[in-house]
Amino acid sequence: MSSALVLAAVPIVLAAGLLALMKVPTNLQLTVTDSALVIEPQGLDRLWTRRDRIEVPLSAVSSIRIAPRTEAPPLPGRGNALHLSGIITAGPHGNTFWDVRRGDQLLIIQCLPGAEFDALVLQFANPFATLTRTRTVLAPFRQAA
């Protein structure tokens, strides 16, 4: 194979990779333990976010809601997150942790001062089911607080 052919194939392979990335949904697992919300990126999301686990103490969670992308915390200038506008934002960006593809309905977890992140902006296949399940588990904790 000639080097010219290989060089010509590189942009095609990169474009195909970006197209595939746009189609791959986020792969997150959110669980609630007795003391924390645990977010665990799975598969390629571990690579994109450069994290395998985030624990947010239940006492540090101020709110959990579904919001359109336009209501998500703004991205600061430069950050450590992988960010390709309109395609993927993943990883820590300022004081906010992101794992979002092209979705519009995002799960936003706001944290109290002193937590590792001010907010987590996450995309799930069914954010409303994730919100309902999480709020149901958090309800007894919130009543005791």
Side-chain angles (χ1 to χ4, degrees):
M1 185 180 269
S2 75
S3 60
L5 185 58
V6 170
L7 288 175
V10 168
I12 295 169
V13 170
L14 288 175
L18 282 175
L19 183 61
L21 178 61
M22 290 180 353
K23 301 292 183 190
V24 174
T26 57
N27 190 0
L28 295 169
Q29 181 176 348
L30 187 146
T31 53
V32 183
T33 68
D34 290 340
S35 60
L37 281 178
V38 180
I39 296 96
E40 296 176 293
Q42 307 288 307
L44 287 175
D45 285 57
R46 292 177 87 174
L47 175 68
W48 309 139
T49 63
R50 296 183 309 272
R51 297 291 294 262
D52 52 349
R53 183 180 179 96
I54 298 170
E55 286 192 40
V56 180
L58 295 179
S59 60
V61 175
S62 70
S63 69
I64 301 176
R65 66 188 175 100
I66 302 291
R69 183 183 293 266
T70 56
E71 292 181 22
L75 288 171
R78 297 192 134 246
N80 296 329
L82 169 64
H83 178 70
L84 299 171
S85 187
I87 299 173
I88 183 174
T89 303
H93 209 79
N95 292 330
T96 304
F97 180 84
W98 290 76
D99 197 359
V100 173
R101 298 305 182 279
R102 304 187 87 188
D104 186 51
Q105 296 298 313
L106 307 176
L107 184 74
I108 301 177
I109 302 169
Q110 293 287 346
C111 301
L112 297 171
E116 180 180 6
F117 295 105
D118 293 342
L120 293 94
V121 181
L122 309 170
Q123 181 182 341
F124 290 91
N126 189 341
F128 296 98
T130 303
L131 175 67
T132 301
R133 181 177 52 86
T134 305
R135 281 188 173 167
T136 300
V137 174
L138 283 175
F141 177 80
R142 287 285 161 223
Q143 291 172 354

